[in-house]
Amino acid sequence: MDILKRTKIVEVLKREDFGTFVNVKGWVRTRRGSKQVNFIALNDGSTINNVQIVVDVDLFGEEALKAITTGACISVNGVLVESQGKGQRAEIQAKEIEILGEADATTFPLQKKGHTLEFLREIAHLRPRTNTFGAVLRVRHHLAYAIHKYFNDRGYFYLHTPIITASDAEGAGAMFQVTTLDLDKLPRNAEGKIDYDQDFFGKSANLTVSGQLEGELGAMALGSVYTFGPTFRAENSNTPRHLAEFWMIEPEVAFNEIGDNMDLAEDFLKYLITYALENCADDLAFLNEMYDKELVERLKFVTENDFVRLPYTEGVKILEASGHKFEFPVFWGADLQSEHERYLVEKHFKKPVILTDYPKDIKAFYMKLNEDGKTVRAMDVLFPKIGEIIGGSQREENYEKLFERMEQMHVPTKEMSWYLDTRRFGSAPHAGFGLGFERLVLFVTGMTNIRDVIPFPRTPKNCEF
Ligand code: 4AD
Ligand code: MG
């Protein structure tokens, strides 16, 4: 085959210089046609749209074309021509076709007919080749890019916080341990306990559940920082919203108080959704058509309306007065479940809600105590279909109050002296939050299971690929 520089299909479909020679490479979605002419729908992942390859059967021979089955990878040299059909402008009249990789039709699991999302989860190594996962993964990419762009444009610095850590930021106690000790021959100390002196770090270590605590150290020097990295939680919650390995974005800003934190969260989310609407129009149109006819409308609605800001205490009153039968009880002090959050958002306000000032006993040790002594300056952003998408707070900047709270909640103050140091040396009000990246991708794509918005999901009893 002549050497011709490859053009991506996304570019080919925009071109109007009909009559020029082009080369495209990609995976065959379908081949159909008659004894005279075949049509190959070719996709290279650069866009949801396929380019149509028009093949003169006599030129190649019926036998040779049989190897061009769904899933095969081919390289095509041909002439760009104006499409006869509706929709797309350009198609390619094939002159030379090279098969780069065949895909045996009897064993290739992805066939023309649609597959269930459950089935596709079992073949997650091949599902990126489907329209659905191509769309989701492209949207995921654009959102990740938009996150960096948002913060960069506003003078925030990307801080790389550690993935292996010895502290438990959320105090949730659901961490994955990291060790090089031989589990069959664990060394014991004089008290009969595991001797972590002999472990790799000379102490017990875990995978991080959040970059926040180190993020705070960064904010106290650089002013405005954000983290964007993988986080790990060993909670055994097999729900459509939880992963054992997920990505989190955590801005942390010196001198911000809870109101600024809410403003930032709302502006950030609206920016990201707007960015997706503007930059992922084809993929969102496909997802809207296939899975959720109200998707684009819902995304626009969220960008165009103010979020409701409501204290937890008021939220609980609304839930109690609703007369709605919830699976889990609601009362002041209860940790709200996703059914409660979604009731407030979808039934009561019909808008995203930022719930604030939660009882201190259901929130982490680092949140700033309110004057009432009972609630903390926490904020959770609740979204339709998702429930909690963001969790954050203003931080306790007073050394004595923070120390006391840590003692009460059995957070080891000695091991965490580095964290307390921020409050000993040049303490300042500061606030931040964590956005669950997959929950954002869920919302933007309209998918309903978090396993379908990350390439290779990790959940209890599932660590394939
Ligand atoms: O509310 P969380 O636990 O907050 C923190 O970790 C704070 N340190 C954040 C901060 O203030 N810097 O988690 C933040 C968000 C949640 O709102 C949710 O979107 C997501 O992370 N999240 C999960 N996403 C997927 N799977 C899980 N198991 C998740 N747990 C939390
Ligand atoms: Mg939370």
Side-chain angles (χ1 to χ4, degrees), residues 170 210 212 233 235 243 248 250 388-391 395 434 436:
E170 292 306 300
S210 157
Q212 178 197 324
R233 296 192 185 180
E235 50 202 341
L243 289 165
M248 190 162 31
E250 296 181 274
E388 178 189 339
I389 194 165
I390 277 180
R395 321 306 188 187

Side-chain angles (χ1 to χ4, degrees), residues 196-435:
Y196 284 108
D197 288 349
Q198 295 188 41
D199 204 349
F200 189 89
F201 297 106
K203 55 165 127 175
S204 159
N206 301 292
L207 292 178
T208 186
V209 296
S210 157
Q212 178 197 324
L213 302 191
E214 292 89 353
E216 286 185 54
L217 309 181
M220 289 313 205
L222 298 166
S224 307
V225 300
Y226 71 103
T227 71
F228 186 174
T231 44
F232 307 88
R233 296 192 185 180
E235 50 202 341
N236 207 352
S237 28
N238 232 326
T239 80
R241 322 242 175 278
H242 288 87
L243 289 165
E245 175 181 291
F246 64 100
W247 289 67
M248 190 162 31
I249 301 97
E250 296 181 274
E252 191 69 35
V253 189
F255 318 117
N256 264 11
E257 305 209 6
I258 191 72
D260 309 307
N261 208 32
M262 286 192 261
D263 292 344
L264 178 64
E266 181 167 346
D267 186 60
F268 181 47
L269 287 168
K270 286 178 170 171
Y271 173 91
L272 296 176
I273 295 164
T274 306
Y275 188 93
L277 283 166
E278 286 171 1
N279 292 276
C280 310
D282 287 355
D283 288 324
L284 292 181
F286 169 81
L287 294 166
N288 191 90
E289 182 59 32
M290 287 292 292
Y291 294 101
D292 182 349
K293 294 276 194 291
E294 284 152 26
L295 174 64
V296 171
E297 221 175 287
R298 184 161 61 246
L299 297 181
K300 285 192 181 140
F301 180 82
V302 167
T303 64
E304 286 161 6
N305 288 282
D306 288 345
F307 296 2
V308 173
R309 299 182 181 192
L310 186 80
Y312 166 95
T313 303
E314 299 301 313
V316 167
K317 279 188 196 149
I318 292 171
L319 291 168
E320 282 174 333
S322 71
H324 189 88
K325 269 237 156 297
F326 293 110
E327 195 188 330
F328 292 91
V330 232
F331 52 92
W332 197 93
D335 202 357
L336 299 186
Q337 303 294 321
S338 127
E339 56 170 343
H340 306 129
E341 298 171 340
R342 290 183 61 179
Y343 181 90
L344 289 174
V345 172
E346 291 165 22
K347 298 263 163 37
H348 191 83
F349 291 107
K350 300 188 167 61
K351 272 183 191 190
V353 173
I354 311 182
L355 217 53
T356 59
D357 305 295
Y358 283 72
K360 65 175 191 225
D361 293 334
I362 57 169
K363 289 291 182 188
F365 70 91
Y366 48 70
M367 298 189 182
K368 185 177 171 70
L369 197 62
N370 278 319
E371 255 86 86
D372 63 14
K374 290 191 301 191
T375 59
V376 286
R377 281 187 204 173
M379 54 166 240
D380 279 7
V381 181
L382 313 179
F383 256 35
K385 301 252 174 199
I386 306 291
E388 178 189 339
I389 194 165
I390 277 180
S393 64
Q394 183 173 341
R395 321 306 188 187
E396 183 57 76
E397 83 267 23
N398 179 284
Y399 179 86
E400 281 76 28
K401 285 188 188 160
L402 179 61
F403 190 90
E404 192 189 319
R405 199 73 196 119
M406 287 170 82
E407 297 238 286
Q408 282 170 359
M409 296 178 80
H410 309 290
V411 181
T413 47
K414 222 169 113 222
E415 278 96 325
M416 301 269 292
S417 63
W418 53 270
Y419 181 69
L420 282 158
D421 268 1
T422 50
R423 277 65 168 177
R424 297 209 312 146
F425 307 117
S427 190
H430 60 289
F433 60 78
L435 166 66

